Amino acid sequence: MLSFESDYTEGAHEKILERLIETNYESLSGYGSDPYCESAKRKIREACQCPEADIHFLVGGTQTNATVIDAVLDKYEGVVAAKTGHVSTHEAGAIEYTGHKVLALEEHQGKIVPEELEEYLKIFWADGNHEHMVFPGMVYISHPTEYGTLYSKAELREISDVCHRYEIPLYLDGARLGYGLMSSYTDVTLPDIAKYCDVFYIGGTKVGALCGEAVVFTKGNTPKHFMTIVKQHGALLAKGRLLGIQFDTLFTDNLYFEISAHANRMAEKLKGIFQKKGYEFYIDSPTNQQFIILEKKQMEQLQEKVAFSFWEALDENHIVVRFATSWATREEDVDALLEIM
Amino acid sequence: MLSFESDYTEGAHEKILERLIETNYESLSGYGSDPYCESAKRKIREACQCPEADIHFLVGGTQTNATVIDAVLDKYEGVVAAKTGHVSTHEAGAIEYTGHKVLALEEHQGKIVPEELEEYLKIFWADGNHEHMVFPGMVYISHPTEYGTLYSKAELREISDVCHRYEIPLYLDGARLGYGLMSSYTDVTLPDIAKYCDVFYIGGTKVGALCGEAVVFTKGNTPKHFMTIVKQHGALLAKGRLLGIQFDTLFTDNLYFEISAHANRMAEKLKGIFQKKGYEFYIDSPTNQQFIILEKKQMEQLQEKVAFSFWEALDENHIVVRFATSWATREEDVDALLEIM
Amino acid sequence: MLSFESDYTEGAHEKILERLIETNYESLSGYGSDPYCESAKRKIREACQCPEADIHFLVGGTQTNATVIDAVLDKYEGVVAAKTGHVSTHEAGAIEYTGHKVLALEEHQGKIVPEELEEYLKIFWADGNHEHMVFPGMVYISHPTEYGTLYSKAELREISDVCHRYEIPLYLDGARLGYGLMSSYTDVTLPDIAKYCDVFYIGGTKVGALCGEAVVFTKGNTPKHFMTIVKQHGALLAKGRLLGIQFDTLFTDNLYFEISAHANRMAEKLKGIFQKKGYEFYIDSPTNQQFIILEKKQMEQLQEKVAFSFWEALDENHIVVRFATSWATREEDVDALLEIM
Amino acid sequence: MLSFESDYTEGAHEKILERLIETNYESLSGYGSDPYCESAKRKIREACQCPEADIHFLVGGTQTNATVIDAVLDKYEGVVAAKTGHVSTHEAGAIEYTGHKVLALEEHQGKIVPEELEEYLKIFWADGNHEHMVFPGMVYISHPTEYGTLYSKAELREISDVCHRYEIPLYLDGARLGYGLMSSYTDVTLPDIAKYCDVFYIGGTKVGALCGEAVVFTKGNTPKHFMTIVKQHGALLAKGRLLGIQFDTLFTDNLYFEISAHANRMAEKLKGIFQKKGYEFYIDSPTNQQFIILEKKQMEQLQEKVAFSFWEALDENHIVVRFATSWATREEDVDALLEIM
């Protein structure tokens, strides 16, 4: 059975496992105070070209979103996000659970549009009743989005400008950041992200780690006693080494970027197969997730030999499905897919 | 200065004040355990033709919404409401503060549509990913809506049917319920509401009381230890008599209904004036709130002599404003408005 | 039946009712923006000798405590309070509901002791593990306490000094503040409280109002967008006039202080009766609440003719009961009690 | 440098690492739906002799406590725990953050006493005011406690009986459960725990895993939609395999028990060294944590060669310190300690 179900179906990159074994019997302090965490932070700061960046390691994406958003927002504030943003729809209300509203904007292929963001903020502040409303206190974007799409550098800068004009921070959810940065169709670099965002996270779970996300505060803006807030959210890992060692490995010798680039190459190849066979794409994705429209029957036939994800019903007879590649995708599997189709 | 600013700009109906004075020196137990609360509950049960109704008095609307919604929902559930519902937009995130998401549906003149509600619920349950989503655990409607509009009995029944098909309760926010029930254009009675809704509240604050809302659980479905939940929400009034006496008075000799009918008559008259003068209405409201479109200049001129509410900007040059009548509106003030126009 | 059950068993002082009637048909804006709220604030500022005081009116005590504490605390902070403090035990977890721990200190006749407070804070900050603990972010005291006792000016100053040495605000719950200020045994004035506390509230509900508490921020320290936080807590009253008019009346011609002094005189007289009859007091209270030890049989006999509160069982055979006087207590009722005993 | 700092200073048992490597490239579904999770659950059910047990894997201890407690409690309920319980003091208010109070009982060497628990529950229910209080909705115990002590089977049964008499569940925090079960001084087995507790967790993080805790609901009492609640708490791991594989390994061939027994043997040996040298123990611990009283000077000298934990200051001159052994402790390190002392 071929698997393109998601980018978290395998364990971890083997270099990570090797490093876990090598360091296994070193006796290290807990909660992120070990030298591997320090080393990983140093390397991430360098990769971001942001020497003042303050970095914290958390375990998973929803946890990171809820903890960061809650820590940054004031009590009377909510977070602005695309309707289709992960925080809006697929985190079981984890943001609202922290007491904050997700203020949903229209989405355009998974993205928000700077003009619409500005319009929203303008109307909010013009409204005489806004003291009875949730204040927009942060903007959330995902990059790549939940649909695999990417912001251009110009879009990112404009969104950042709007945020700063209205004095609210910009937060970027980089659960799949590597795949975004290594896309052939992007002009956005990691230093750009560090420059335009006030806080973002570099996803590990979906990019070669067993688990782990690296939160980066870029402007000396770490919330006071953030470690205690992380603990309060149940997000402080006792064996912080597990996260430090993984990110230290991922940010050594460009590993994070190389494995991301591999996934994108595999996605391009896979995309080519579907294009050649005349399939229609639901969205034109420049990263490792590809959304294809199948007839119900086609889907059922294909499911016998290949694992992929049901995304949504398009109409009575057509289904949107997702094929995802990853750091672990083997080229022979993509070739095998061609045979099958 | 004439005032049509809102329906809570005066104190209370004078019969309420009289009763407060008459009973002032009676020594009564606190927290809703006094005989006036009991009497008010009895009268409301009768008016609802719902002998099994369980009734609790709270102080204000946002408080009531947050307390009832939080008490009824399970931890993993949110409340479905129109985009323009009070809980969606004008309660400063009070619902999210309790940890629950407001799941917004499209609005149609302030109302939700049964078919769209059903579609939403159907898709939710069909979605393979719904365990990562907020479960719809309740439907919220306001009647009259924030735009003064009303559900017909057929609509109410259909929404109720959809809810019960999906096994979730229907909650009706009746902040202005009296004005809704006494509209010349409604076929919905208080017993209908008790029949179709699982819980609703009868608004006092905007219908002649100093403060107070009567929550009615209609199906033996009061959440366990509701009084403690009310206390936890800071919503338990020590001098419960203040609420009991007011509702007892409002539900004696049809007072609640009569003063509501008066407000509607005044609104009809006011509507007639604007119609005659050729003004355009933003929405056709059958209750005490009237939404009129003014040119900016018109608005500024009118504001010198009459108080009303800015609602929203329609375009560069036109403004939607609200004129509200109430139990306290004097006919001579409406006549005086005619003079001014 | 004589009633000494509590200080919230009657309605409101008649001057309040008169003012409500006089102002009833004035058309006033909502949410605290009316001239009566302004006037009440001015008078309270003067009574506090604190021109920079920022004042907000809320409806009830638990609501006020939860809203103020949540608004002032940072996310990682809790509030330090006596074990017997109202927030610790009798608010149904309203503080924890806002996400904050109540950090309980030993109580001494309902009070905390400056030295123990300092010791607690010292140990917290010395503890190497305190990043895994709830930070003390505020100190809560009640004055009078739940046992009717009072802090001396020296105690208040010392507690205030400790708080400020550790850079946390001091909050005073003055649900029964009038009775405390007018005690014959106190050297604490309202200006003292404004001086030593960072925020406190002047209780209305238990001192002659139908409802209402006046929150006073004394040091330019009102939390940002406090009004929105109040709304979010369901604590913003639409007809703010109800609170403004009541506090304006209470702070006109010393009414608040005079009715409090009356209650204390009645309490002294009542205390004398029990002393003369040889009853034992559970605590020596200098204010309107008196705690007396009764044998079970005595209690049952007395209950036939007098209403009072069960407080707690002392042992198999003895009960602590509370007799409360108030602004509304009639001298003839105290005299009648003497007859009965 | 010898290290007895804690039981989470090393990585993971090597068999776990081996299994991670062996299974690394298997393509498995996420969120706990993989066959390793299934297999681990089966083995845990067997070890518990509880075929109806429902098992869920979470990442860390505080996360597990907050998620389970919040999921099980009703909105008006709190959790009863010893003053020194982990949830009471060292989780940064994670329980209160979920809206629930920790109701603290006196501790006796880290344990609660059945009689005092019963007394507390009796008084709560007898109190006429309990509707204004937080309802005790669950009892939390840790086993071993934070002081390394253990409940006897009789104590466990009695506490369980009290809980069930008052119809509230008993929850056991087994962060170090292995060390408790394999103590030479216990008569409590894993099936006993499954029998007497309604829910408990088997700690992985401190007993040989990289991370992970196995929550066991023993009585068909898993909260509805628990997986969604886990997601909402940010506690659902995408690569659930990481937890499944670890627990599957730990519960294969008695590994969990053997490594726990090893730690206890090392602790006994270490204890013997301190006893022989005449040191005083702060508490008599039958498990892997040993609490020793040192003079300040002694502590400083020892710290040069051995890592251990500062616990608390006993008096001006004496310090309580903790030495912890673990699955990873090497006998030669304990021998080396003897040399040093």
Side-chain angles (χ1 to χ4, degrees):
Chain A
M1 185 86 160
L2 301 174
S3 173
F4 298 97
E5 195 187 337
S6 79
D7 35 22
Y8 47 88
T9 50
E10 281 79 21
H13 192 277
E14 59 194 16
K15 284 197 182 155
I16 284 177
L17 294 179
E18 281 165 21
R19 289 296 283 152
L20 287 177
I21 289 167
E22 283 168 28
T23 59
N24 192 47
Y25 288 106
E26 294 177 20
S27 184
L28 302 175
S29 283
Y31 304 113
S33 60
D34 64 273
Y36 296 104
C37 284
E38 280 318 304
S39 170
K41 290 176 186 184
R42 206 162 43 236
K43 289 172 185 169
I44 291 172
R45 262 183 231 114
E46 269 169 43
C48 292
Q49 294 175 17
C50 183
E52 68 277 23
D54 181 39
I55 296 156
H56 296 260
F57 300 111
L58 275 78
V59 176
T62 295
Q63 180 186 79
T64 301
N65 285 335
T67 305
V68 169
I69 290 170
D70 182 43
V72 169
L73 289 184
D74 236 311
K75 290 163 213 260
Y76 48 85
E77 295 177 332
V79 58
V80 180
K83 261 183 172 183
T84 48
H86 208 253
V87 293
S88 301
T89 55
H90 283 101
E91 302 193 345
I95 306 307
E96 289 83 3
Y97 184 72
T98 71
H100 299 287
K101 190 179 184 75
V102 180
L103 300 157
L105 286 193
E106 275 310 314
E107 58 92 22
H108 303 269
Q109 303 205 309
K111 300 194 285 179
I112 59 170
V113 166
E115 292 73 25
E116 291 180 7
L117 172 63
E118 178 137 39
E119 184 66 11
Y120 170 80
L121 294 169
K122 205 174 105 187
I123 288 173
F124 174 83
W125 286 104
D127 189 325
N129 267 334
H130 73 250
E131 285 193 315
H132 289 209
M133 297 170 76
V134 176
F135 282 58
M138 182 189 229
V139 171
Y140 164 100
I141 56 175
S142 37
H143 181 89
T145 68
E146 296 69 20
Y147 287 94
T149 52
L150 293 171
Y151 289 89
S152 69
K153 192 190 294 199
E155 287 171 334
L156 203 58
R157 189 179 50 233
E158 282 174 59
I159 289 173
S160 177
D161 285 351
V162 173
C163 287
H164 298 146
R165 216 142 50 227
Y166 285 88
E167 298 185 352
I168 55 177
L170 175 59
Y171 170 49
L172 182 147
D173 175 339
R176 295 183 165 98
L177 189 57
Y179 305 130
L181 292 171
M182 301 312 289
S183 168
S184 312
Y185 307 96
T186 190
D187 60 350
V188 174
T189 64
L190 188 52
D192 290 334
I193 284 172
K195 181 177 167 194
Y196 293 124
C197 299
D198 299 278
V199 51
F200 67 99
Y201 82 83
I202 301 171
T205 303
K206 288 167 181 162
V207 193
L210 289 166
C211 62
E213 324 295 328
V215 177
V216 187
F217 290 96
T218 60
K219 315 259 188 279
N221 57 336
T222 311
K224 220 174 145 184
H225 296 300
F226 185 62
M227 188 184 167
T228 301
I229 294 176
V230 170
K231 177 75 180 168
Q232 190 181 55
H233 280 258
L236 188 63
L237 201 61
K239 293 184 176 171
R241 68 193 295 152
L242 173 59
L243 304 174
I245 291 165
Q246 292 189 92
F247 273 98
D248 192 51
T249 307
L250 287 169
F251 279 82
T252 298
D253 298 338
N254 276 320
L255 183 61
Y256 188 75
F257 303 98
E258 280 175 15
I259 63 179
S260 297
H262 166 79
N264 284 343
R265 277 194 306 275
M266 294 301 102
E268 282 294 305
K269 192 163 181 176
L270 182 147
K271 198 173 176 177
I273 293 170
F274 282 103
Q275 282 171 332
K276 208 156 64 184
K277 299 279 179 183
Y279 286 85
E280 216 183 321
F281 288 73
Y282 178 63
I283 212 162
D284 185 23
S285 160
T287 58
N288 74 314
Q289 301 180 87
Q290 296 297 325
F291 299 86
I292 295 146
I293 300 168
L294 298 181
E295 287 178 24
K296 270 197 177 168
K297 281 231 173 117
Q298 284 178 316
M299 187 179 79
E300 284 157 19
Q301 285 175 345
L302 210 50
Q303 276 174 328
E304 287 168 27
K305 296 176 182 166
V306 192
F308 51 85
S309 295
F310 172 96
W311 207 249
E312 61 186 76
L314 193 64
D315 59 39
E316 287 289 290
N317 213 21
H318 293 84
I319 310 286
V320 180
V321 303
R322 184 190 70 177
F323 282 73
T325 62
S326 80
W327 58 278
T329 302
R330 288 175 305 175
E331 187 142 15
E332 57 258 43
D333 284 4
V334 184
D335 293 338
L337 181 67
L338 178 57
E339 299 295 305
I340 285 167
M341 303 285 299
Chain B
M1 184 83 161
L2 300 174
S3 173
F4 298 96
E5 194 187 338
S6 80
D7 35 22
Y8 46 88
T9 49
E10 280 80 20
H13 192 277
E14 59 194 14
K15 285 197 183 155
I16 283 178
L17 294 179
E18 281 163 23
R19 289 295 284 152
L20 287 177
I21 288 167
E22 281 167 28
T23 60
N24 192 46
Y25 288 106
E26 294 177 22
S27 184
L28 302 176
S29 282
Y31 305 113
S33 60
D34 63 274
Y36 296 104
C37 284
E38 280 319 303
S39 169
K41 289 176 186 183
R42 207 162 43 237
K43 289 172 184 170
I44 290 173
R45 262 183 231 113
E46 269 169 42
C48 292
Q49 294 176 15
C50 183
E52 67 278 23
D54 181 39
I55 296 156
H56 297 259
F57 300 112
L58 276 77
V59 176
T62 295
Q63 180 186 78
T64 300
N65 285 334
T67 305
V68 169
I69 289 171
D70 182 43
V72 169
L73 289 183
D74 236 310
K75 291 163 212 258
Y76 48 86
E77 294 177 333
V79 58
V80 180
K83 262 182 171 185
T84 48
H86 208 253
V87 292
S88 301
T89 55
H90 284 99
E91 301 193 344
I95 306 306
E96 290 81 5
Y97 185 71
T98 72
H100 299 286
K101 191 179 184 75
V102 179
L103 301 156
L105 286 193
E106 276 310 315
E107 57 93 23
H108 303 269
Q109 301 205 309
K111 299 194 285 178
I112 59 170
V113 167
E115 293 72 25
E116 291 180 7
L117 172 63
E118 177 137 39
E119 185 65 12
Y120 170 80
L121 294 170
K122 206 173 104 186
I123 288 174
F124 174 83
W125 286 103
D127 188 325
N129 266 334
H130 73 250
E131 285 194 314
H132 290 209
M133 296 169 77
V134 175
F135 283 57
M138 181 188 229
V139 171
Y140 164 100
I141 55 174
S142 37
H143 182 88
T145 68
E146 296 70 19
Y147 287 94
T149 52
L150 292 171
Y151 289 90
S152 70
K153 193 190 292 199
E155 287 170 334
L156 202 59
R157 188 179 52 233
E158 282 175 59
I159 290 173
S160 177
D161 285 351
V162 173
C163 286
H164 297 146
R165 215 140 53 226
Y166 284 88
E167 298 184 352
I168 54 178
L170 176 59
Y171 170 48
L172 183 147
D173 175 338
R176 296 183 166 97
L177 190 56
Y179 305 130
L181 292 170
M182 300 312 288
S183 168
S184 312
Y185 308 96
T186 189
D187 60 349
V188 174
T189 65
L190 187 54
D192 290 333
I193 284 173
K195 182 177 167 195
Y196 292 125
C197 299
D198 300 278
V199 50
F200 67 99
Y201 82 83
I202 302 171
T205 304
K206 288 166 179 162
V207 194
L210 289 166
C211 62
E213 325 294 329
V215 177
V216 186
F217 290 98
T218 60
K219 314 259 188 279
N221 57 336
T222 311
K224 220 174 144 185
H225 296 300
F226 185 64
M227 187 183 167
T228 302
I229 294 176
V230 170
K231 177 74 180 169
Q232 189 181 56
H233 281 258
L236 189 63
L237 201 61
K239 293 185 176 170
R241 68 195 293 152
L242 173 59
L243 304 174
I245 291 165
Q246 292 188 93
F247 274 98
D248 193 51
T249 307
L250 287 169
F251 279 83
T252 298
D253 297 337
N254 277 320
L255 183 62
Y256 188 75
F257 303 99
E258 281 175 15
I259 63 179
S260 297
H262 167 77
N264 285 343
R265 275 195 306 275
M266 293 303 101
E268 282 295 305
K269 191 163 181 175
L270 182 147
K271 199 174 176 176
I273 292 169
F274 282 102
Q275 282 171 332
K276 207 157 67 187
K277 298 279 181 184
Y279 285 86
E280 214 182 322
F281 287 73
Y282 178 64
I283 213 163
D284 185 24
S285 160
T287 58
N288 75 312
Q289 300 180 88
Q290 296 297 324
F291 298 86
I292 294 146
I293 299 169
L294 297 181
E295 287 178 25
K296 269 198 176 168
K297 281 230 172 117
Q298 284 178 316
M299 188 179 79
E300 284 156 19
Q301 285 175 344
L302 210 51
Q303 275 175 329
E304 288 168 25
K305 296 177 182 166
V306 192
F308 50 86
S309 294
F310 171 96
W311 207 249
E312 61 186 75
L314 192 64
D315 58 40
E316 287 288 291
N317 213 23
H318 293 84
I319 308 287
V320 180
V321 302
R322 186 189 69 176
F323 282 73
T325 61
S326 80
W327 59 279
T329 302
R330 289 174 304 174
E331 189 143 13
E332 58 257 44
D333 284 4
V334 185
D335 293 337
L337 181 67
L338 178 58
E339 300 295 305
I340 286 166
M341 304 286 299
Chain C
M1 185 83 161
L2 300 174
S3 173
F4 297 97
E5 195 187 335
S6 80
D7 34 21
Y8 46 88
T9 49
E10 281 80 19
H13 192 278
E14 59 194 16
K15 285 197 184 155
I16 284 177
L17 295 179
E18 281 163 22
R19 289 296 283 151
L20 287 177
I21 289 167
E22 283 167 28
T23 60
N24 192 47
Y25 288 106
E26 293 177 21
S27 183
L28 302 176
S29 282
Y31 305 114
S33 61
D34 64 274
Y36 296 104
C37 284
E38 279 319 303
S39 170
K41 290 176 186 183
R42 205 162 45 237
K43 289 172 185 170
I44 291 173
R45 261 183 233 115
E46 269 169 42
C48 292
Q49 294 175 17
C50 183
E52 67 278 24
D54 182 38
I55 296 157
H56 297 259
F57 300 111
L58 277 76
V59 176
T62 294
Q63 180 187 79
T64 301
N65 285 334
T67 305
V68 169
I69 290 171
D70 183 43
V72 168
L73 289 183
D74 235 310
K75 290 162 212 259
Y76 48 85
E77 294 177 333
V79 58
V80 180
K83 262 184 171 184
T84 48
H86 208 253
V87 292
S88 301
T89 56
H90 283 100
E91 301 193 344
I95 306 306
E96 290 82 4
Y97 184 72
T98 72
H100 300 286
K101 191 179 184 74
V102 179
L103 301 156
L105 286 193
E106 276 310 315
E107 57 94 21
H108 303 269
Q109 301 205 308
K111 299 194 286 178
I112 59 170
V113 166
E115 292 73 24
E116 291 180 6
L117 172 62
E118 178 137 38
E119 184 65 11
Y120 170 80
L121 293 170
K122 205 174 105 187
I123 288 174
F124 174 83
W125 286 103
D127 188 325
N129 266 334
H130 73 250
E131 284 193 316
H132 290 209
M133 297 169 76
V134 175
F135 283 57
M138 181 188 229
V139 172
Y140 164 100
I141 56 174
S142 37
H143 181 88
T145 69
E146 295 70 18
Y147 288 94
T149 52
L150 292 171
Y151 289 90
S152 70
K153 193 191 292 200
E155 287 171 334
L156 202 59
R157 189 180 50 234
E158 282 175 59
I159 290 173
S160 177
D161 285 352
V162 173
C163 286
H164 297 146
R165 215 140 53 225
Y166 284 88
E167 298 183 352
I168 55 178
L170 175 59
Y171 170 48
L172 182 147
D173 175 338
R176 296 183 166 97
L177 190 56
Y179 305 130
L181 291 171
M182 301 311 289
S183 168
S184 311
Y185 307 97
T186 189
D187 60 348
V188 173
T189 65
L190 187 53
D192 290 333
I193 284 173
K195 181 177 167 194
Y196 292 124
C197 298
D198 300 278
V199 51
F200 68 98
Y201 80 84
I202 302 171
T205 304
K206 288 166 179 163
V207 193
L210 289 166
C211 62
E213 325 294 329
V215 177
V216 186
F217 290 97
T218 60
K219 316 261 188 276
N221 57 336
T222 311
K224 220 174 145 185
H225 296 300
F226 185 64
M227 187 182 168
T228 302
I229 294 176
V230 170
K231 177 76 179 168
Q232 189 182 56
H233 280 258
L236 189 63
L237 200 62
K239 292 183 177 172
R241 67 194 293 152
L242 173 58
L243 304 174
I245 290 164
Q246 291 188 93
F247 274 98
D248 193 51
T249 308
L250 287 169
F251 279 82
T252 298
D253 298 337
N254 276 320
L255 182 62
Y256 188 75
F257 303 99
E258 280 176 14
I259 63 179
S260 296
H262 167 77
N264 285 342
R265 275 195 307 274
M266 295 302 102
E268 282 294 305
K269 191 164 181 174
L270 181 147
K271 199 175 176 176
I273 293 170
F274 282 103
Q275 281 170 333
K276 207 157 66 186
K277 298 280 180 184
Y279 285 85
E280 215 182 320
F281 287 74
Y282 178 64
I283 212 163
D284 184 25
S285 161
T287 58
N288 75 312
Q289 300 181 88
Q290 297 296 325
F291 298 86
I292 294 146
I293 299 169
L294 298 181
E295 287 178 25
K296 269 198 176 168
K297 281 230 173 118
Q298 285 178 316
M299 187 179 79
E300 284 156 20
Q301 285 175 345
L302 210 51
Q303 276 175 329
E304 288 168 24
K305 296 177 182 166
V306 191
F308 51 86
S309 294
F310 171 94
W311 206 249
E312 62 187 74
L314 192 64
D315 59 38
E316 287 288 291
N317 213 22
H318 293 84
I319 308 287
V320 180
V321 303
R322 186 189 68 177
F323 282 73
T325 62
S326 80
W327 59 279
T329 302
R330 288 174 305 173
E331 188 143 14
E332 59 258 43
D333 284 3
V334 184
D335 292 337
L337 181 66
L338 177 58
E339 300 295 305
I340 285 168
M341 302 286 300
Chain D
M1 185 84 161
L2 300 174
S3 174
F4 297 96
E5 195 186 337
S6 80
D7 35 21
Y8 46 88
T9 49
E10 281 79 21
H13 192 276
E14 59 194 16
K15 284 198 183 155
I16 284 177
L17 294 179
E18 281 164 22
R19 290 295 283 152
L20 286 178
I21 288 166
E22 282 167 29
T23 60
N24 191 47
Y25 288 106
E26 293 177 23
S27 184
L28 302 176
S29 283
Y31 304 113
S33 60
D34 64 274
Y36 296 103
C37 284
E38 280 318 303
S39 170
K41 290 176 185 183
R42 206 161 45 236
K43 289 173 185 170
I44 291 172
R45 262 183 231 114
E46 269 169 42
C48 292
Q49 294 176 18
C50 184
E52 67 278 23
D54 182 39
I55 295 155
H56 296 259
F57 300 112
L58 276 77
V59 176
T62 295
Q63 180 186 81
T64 301
N65 285 334
T67 305
V68 169
I69 290 171
D70 182 43
V72 169
L73 290 183
D74 236 310
K75 290 162 212 259
Y76 48 85
E77 294 176 334
V79 58
V80 180
K83 261 183 173 185
T84 48
H86 208 253
V87 292
S88 302
T89 55
H90 284 101
E91 302 193 344
I95 306 306
E96 289 82 4
Y97 185 72
T98 71
H100 299 287
K101 190 179 184 75
V102 180
L103 300 156
L105 286 193
E106 276 310 315
E107 57 93 21
H108 303 269
Q109 302 205 307
K111 299 194 286 180
I112 60 170
V113 167
E115 292 74 24
E116 291 180 7
L117 173 62
E118 178 137 38
E119 185 66 11
Y120 170 80
L121 294 170
K122 205 174 105 187
I123 288 174
F124 175 82
W125 286 102
D127 188 325
N129 266 334
H130 73 250
E131 285 194 314
H132 289 209
M133 296 169 76
V134 176
F135 283 58
M138 181 189 230
V139 171
Y140 164 99
I141 55 174
S142 37
H143 182 87
T145 67
E146 296 69 19
Y147 287 94
T149 52
L150 293 171
Y151 290 90
S152 70
K153 193 190 292 199
E155 288 171 334
L156 203 58
R157 190 180 49 233
E158 282 175 60
I159 290 173
S160 177
D161 285 352
V162 173
C163 286
H164 298 145
R165 215 139 54 225
Y166 284 88
E167 297 184 353
I168 55 177
L170 175 59
Y171 171 48
L172 182 147
D173 175 338
R176 296 183 166 97
L177 190 56
Y179 305 129
L181 292 171
M182 300 312 288
S183 168
S184 312
Y185 308 96
T186 189
D187 60 349
V188 173
T189 65
L190 188 52
D192 289 335
I193 285 172
K195 182 177 166 194
Y196 293 124
C197 298
D198 299 278
V199 51
F200 66 99
Y201 83 83
I202 302 171
T205 303
K206 289 167 180 162
V207 194
L210 289 165
C211 62
E213 325 293 330
V215 177
V216 186
F217 290 97
T218 60
K219 315 260 189 277
N221 57 335
T222 310
K224 220 173 145 185
H225 296 301
F226 185 64
M227 187 182 167
T228 302
I229 294 176
V230 170
K231 178 76 180 168
Q232 190 182 54
H233 281 258
L236 189 63
L237 201 61
K239 292 183 176 172
R241 67 194 295 151
L242 173 58
L243 304 174
I245 290 164
Q246 292 188 92
F247 274 98
D248 193 51
T249 307
L250 287 170
F251 279 82
T252 298
D253 298 338
N254 277 320
L255 183 61
Y256 188 75
F257 303 100
E258 280 175 14
I259 63 179
S260 297
H262 167 78
N264 285 343
R265 275 195 305 275
M266 294 301 102
E268 283 294 305
K269 193 164 180 175
L270 182 147
K271 200 174 175 177
I273 292 170
F274 282 103
Q275 281 170 332
K276 209 158 64 187
K277 298 279 180 184
Y279 286 85
E280 216 183 321
F281 287 73
Y282 178 64
I283 213 163
D284 185 25
S285 160
T287 59
N288 75 313
Q289 300 181 87
Q290 297 296 324
F291 298 86
I292 294 146
I293 299 168
L294 297 181
E295 287 178 24
K296 270 197 176 167
K297 281 231 172 115
Q298 284 178 317
M299 187 179 81
E300 283 157 19
Q301 284 174 345
L302 211 50
Q303 275 174 330
E304 287 169 25
K305 295 177 183 166
V306 192
F308 50 86
S309 294
F310 171 95
W311 207 250
E312 61 187 76
L314 193 64
D315 58 39
E316 287 288 292
N317 214 22
H318 293 84
I319 309 286
V320 180
V321 302
R322 184 189 70 177
F323 282 73
T325 63
S326 81
W327 60 278
T329 303
R330 289 174 304 174
E331 187 143 14
E332 58 258 42
D333 284 4
V334 184
D335 293 338
L337 181 66
L338 177 57
E339 299 295 306
I340 286 167
M341 303 286 298

